[in-house]
Amino acid sequence: MTGWRRSEGVNPQSRMPLPEGVSRGAQFSVVVNDEKVSAFEGESVATVLMANGYPIMRTTQKGEPRGVFCGMGVCFDCLVIVDEVPNSRACMTWAAPDMRIIQQQGLTRMRVQEDDSFDA
Amino acid sequence: MIEQLLESQSASFEFLEPLPMEVDVLIVGGGIVGSSLAYFLGQRGVESLVLERGEINREASGTNAGSFHFQIALHQLTSSDPKDDMDRLLTEVRLHTEAADLWKSLEGDLKVDLGVHETGGLMVAETDEEFRLLHSKQKIEAAAGLETHVLSGKELKEFAPYLASDIKGASFCPREGHADPLLAVPLILMRAQELGAQVRTQAAVTSIERVDGKDGVRFIVQTSRGVVQARRLVNAAGAWANDISMLLGHSLPIHAEGLHVNVTEPREPILTPMLQHIGRRLTLKQTSKGTFIIGGGWPARPELQPQRYSNYWASAAGNAAVALRVMPMLQDVRLVRTWSGVMAFMNDLSPIVGESQSLPGYHVCIATTGFTLGPMMAQLLAESMVADKDFRIPQSYAVDRGLPLMTR
């Protein structure tokens, strides 16, 4: 699907120039699918994805692309898998060192535990 | 189908027109019972007017989880041995199979998509005692002609691998399933209107006068939007039916209970049948959108007037805990919303359907588990009102049974 991976023609390190007197947080790396990309403290997962050329964050059940729409946690369009937690809102999740982000395709699977007995 | 519904919604301007002067049958309540009754009466050439205090389908009919309950359920058992309730249960299960037939044919008859899916339903047992209960209720279901199978061990594990491994057993009813509670009532009512039924919303009934004149009985009904007269009156006001009945000085053995439903985020399809529990409050099913609907009658705060009901967070947590107990793989699936609705609860567990003997012309139609049985009960009443079939309403559903013996 077009644009599912890194968008063509997007500078992978595109971020807004900083005004004078403002500095970015500490730099660290996160993993998007299998690619190691850079992130800065204080950025959301959505910011990291867009700045690294991943405007599309998931596909719907019908395979249609979705990304940041409202940017404020309401629309649930920017869902990604963050450290194995599916349906995480990229716009509402802080990026953290060594975080593992996976673009979500359609409905996410259920985690089946080895021992499924439940201690209530 | 949505286009059709939107088109019919344009007819809702008609809902706000002045009330007609008089009508043959006046139905109080625009939920699943009132709407179905208007349809079944229309089919038989009887004119009716549906009066709704608020908006169509806004209370129990539109806020329940849409499940079809045909197996004998926890709330129907008044003792731990189903044999004690044998006659009542046999009658009820026979009607359940008729309700199953009706839901199956309703979409075809109406030529609309009501979101009916016959997915089958599994009722689980956690303890040995509950497992024995499954076996004894299965015998009654078989006697009443409802197909159910009790599964356990390897057979159950293969049939339902998503269940917790220590579940003792489950009974499977192939006919259970669900319909869409947001679609059913508006579409049934749309067809009723095509058959000549009239509908008026925002019309709360404030007083009812029953006049027994020389040319028969008349009801003079005052509403917040004016007065209307009717030859026959049907109380289909569900949880608030006693308030309407008391306007005639007639009491019904009924009270309102608030109850609570949860929905999760969508996940891959994994659960086909509806899950229930023989000993604890649970209904659990996965929709075609992938979300899980978790309900089963956990309490919410009942409200006197139609408005949105408050949730008890303890109910949300308790309901989710039972769902997790039965299906542990839900443990990383998040709840995204909970809501509450109301339910009409009969003190003696039997529906109230038919004409009053003490007040001829006054009819009541209230189903237990109203979404499953509502259309079926409305059909029974419509049949009896035009007397085109033998009177089939069980004696235990009698309208006057809540009255002191003196006044019956």
Side-chain angles (χ1 to χ4, degrees):
Chain A
M1 188 209 4
T2 342
W4 174 243
R5 294 197 182 81
R6 191 188 286 286
S7 329
E8 297 292 328
V10 174
N11 175 357
Q13 290 304 319
S14 62
R15 281 180 168 85
M16 281 177 71
L18 293 174
E20 208 171 316
V22 176
S23 56
R24 295 191 193 282
Q27 188 169 8
F28 54 84
S29 64
V30 301
V31 178
V32 178
N33 301 334
D34 291 323
E35 187 191 7
K36 204 170 181 176
V37 303
S38 70
F40 295 91
E41 196 182 337
E43 289 182 340
S44 68
V45 169
T47 303
V48 173
L49 287 169
M50 289 194 291
N52 286 285
Y54 292 93
I56 291 168
M57 296 173 191
R58 69 166 177 122
T59 55
T60 65
Q61 287 183 67
K62 290 177 179 167
E64 291 169 354
R66 291 288 185 275
V68 171
F69 180 65
C70 75
M72 58 183 198
V74 174
C75 74
F76 286 74
D77 264 5
C78 63
L79 303 179
V80 288
I81 302 171
V82 174
D83 291 336
E84 296 184 18
V85 179
N87 298 332
S88 300
R89 289 168 293 177
C91 69
M92 301 300 284
T93 309
W94 297 116
D98 303 320
M99 189 177 254
R100 214 177 126 63
I101 302 158
I102 299 171
Q103 288 164 307
Q104 203 170 291
Q105 298 188 44
L107 293 177
T108 48
R109 298 185 63 83
M110 310 276 278
R111 270 188 294 181
V112 182
Q113 310 293 313
E114 284 298 309
D115 173 21
D116 70 355
S117 61
F118 182 80
D119 303 314
Chain B
M1 191 39 55
I2 296 298
E3 286 81 30
Q4 245 175 319
L5 189 55
L6 288 174
E7 221 170 88
S8 85
Q9 291 305 302
S10 62
S12 66
F13 291 113
E14 181 208 308
F15 293 178
L16 294 172
E17 281 175 11
L19 302 188
M21 297 272 290
E22 66 177 301
V23 66
D24 180 356
V25 178
L26 178 66
I27 301 168
V28 181
I32 193 156
V33 169
S35 304
S36 303
L37 183 63
Y39 171 73
F40 290 122
L41 287 175
Q43 251 187 347
R44 289 160 174 78
V46 178
E47 67 153 354
S48 67
L49 167 68
V50 177
L51 274 189
E52 164 57 46
R53 169 176 57 183
E55 296 295 333
I56 295 303
N57 202 36
R58 283 295 294 277
E59 300 298 336
S61 307
T63 51
N64 75 93
S67 308
F68 299 153
H69 298 289
F70 300 134
Q71 300 188 55
I72 296 169
L74 175 62
H75 68 266
Q76 290 171 283
L77 300 169
T78 50
S79 83
S80 57
D81 187 351
K83 280 196 226 54
D84 298 347
D85 303 318
M86 190 67 149
D87 289 341
R88 177 172 58 82
L89 291 174
L90 271 174
T91 311
E92 281 178 18
V93 177
R94 281 194 196 105
L95 285 173
H96 289 187
T97 62
E98 277 194 51
D101 293 341
L102 179 62
W103 273 111
K104 200 182 171 79
S105 61
L106 200 55
E107 283 186 317
D109 294 346
L110 296 168
K111 298 190 180 59
V112 289
D113 177 4
L114 305 175
V116 175
H117 295 283
E118 211 172 69
T119 58
L122 267 174
M123 189 177 285
V124 303
E126 264 181 78
T127 64
D128 292 326
E129 194 189 338
E130 287 171 356
F131 191 49
R132 278 193 296 275
L133 198 53
L134 286 186
H135 280 288
S136 36
K137 85 168 184 62
Q138 197 273 334
K139 287 195 190 82
I140 298 175
E141 287 157 353
L146 179 70
E147 181 187 350
T148 50
H149 307 272
V150 178
L151 308 172
S152 61
K154 192 160 164 278
E155 197 182 13
L156 180 62
K157 200 155 190 68
E158 275 167 20
F159 187 77
Y162 38 78
L163 292 180
S165 56
D166 57 346
I167 291 289
K168 281 280 183 313
S171 62
F172 181 67
C173 173
R175 306 215 58 185
E176 287 185 321
H178 59 266
D180 188 333
L182 297 178
L183 285 179
V185 172
L187 288 170
I188 293 170
L189 195 61
M190 177 181 91
R191 290 298 187 235
Q193 285 178 278
E194 288 166 8
L195 294 170
Q198 299 187 74
V199 184
R200 295 293 185 274
T201 58
Q202 301 296 340
V205 173
T206 53
S207 81
I208 305 171
E209 191 189 342
R210 181 177 172 280
V211 184
D212 208 344
K214 58 178 185 294
D215 48 348
V217 173
R218 305 191 74 73
F219 292 90
I220 304 165
V221 178
Q222 298 284 346
T223 81
S224 53
R225 290 182 50 206
V227 65
V228 57
Q229 294 202 16
R231 281 186 50 231
R232 291 179 281 184
L233 179 72
V234 182
N235 181 349
W240 297 279
N242 195 40
D243 299 350
I244 296 296
S245 210
M246 286 311 286
L247 295 176
L248 285 161
H250 181 286
S251 71
L252 296 172
I254 184 177
H255 65 276
E257 282 193 6
L259 54 87
H260 170 106
V261 191
N262 313 276
V263 61
T264 73
E265 63 188 8
R267 288 301 184 90
E268 64 171 346
I270 195 154
L271 176 67
T272 306
M274 168 180 66
L275 297 185
Q276 291 169 266
H277 199 302
I278 184 68
R280 298 169 80 180
R281 291 181 167 198
L282 176 70
T283 62
L284 168 59
K285 57 187 181 285
Q286 192 172 19
T287 67
S288 57
K289 304 274 182 280
T291 58
F292 293 89
I293 310 269
I294 304 172
W298 284 74
R301 199 171 290 128
E303 311 280 352
L304 290 176
Q305 293 301 317
Q307 52 185 276
R308 301 278 60 85
Y309 310 90
S310 346
N311 289 317
Y312 291 128
W313 287 108
S315 278
N319 201 173
V322 178
L324 266 178
R325 167 67 187 89
V326 171
M327 197 173 158
M329 61 166 67
L330 290 175
Q331 66 182 294
D332 77 330
V333 180
R334 281 165 291 183
L335 288 184
V336 295
R337 196 167 67 251
T338 71
W339 72 91
S340 301
V342 71
M343 182 178 170
F345 200 85
M346 260 58 79
N347 302 346
D348 56 7
L349 305 171
S350 285
I352 308 175
V353 184
E355 183 173 6
S356 165
Q357 301 302 308
S358 60
L359 296 173
Y362 174 53
H363 300 69
V364 180
C365 193
I366 308 153
T368 46
T369 50
F371 190 75
T372 305
L373 301 179
M376 164 79 207
M377 296 300 161
Q379 193 178 36
L380 279 179
L381 184 61
E383 283 170 4
S384 84
M385 287 176 81
V386 298
D388 66 351
K389 274 198 187 172
D390 290 345
F391 189 76
R392 299 193 298 143
I393 302 173
Q395 200 53 50
S396 57
Y397 294 7
V399 170
D400 294 341
R401 67 181 190 266
L403 301 181
L405 283 168
M406 293 285 286
T407 60
R408 279 189 206 172

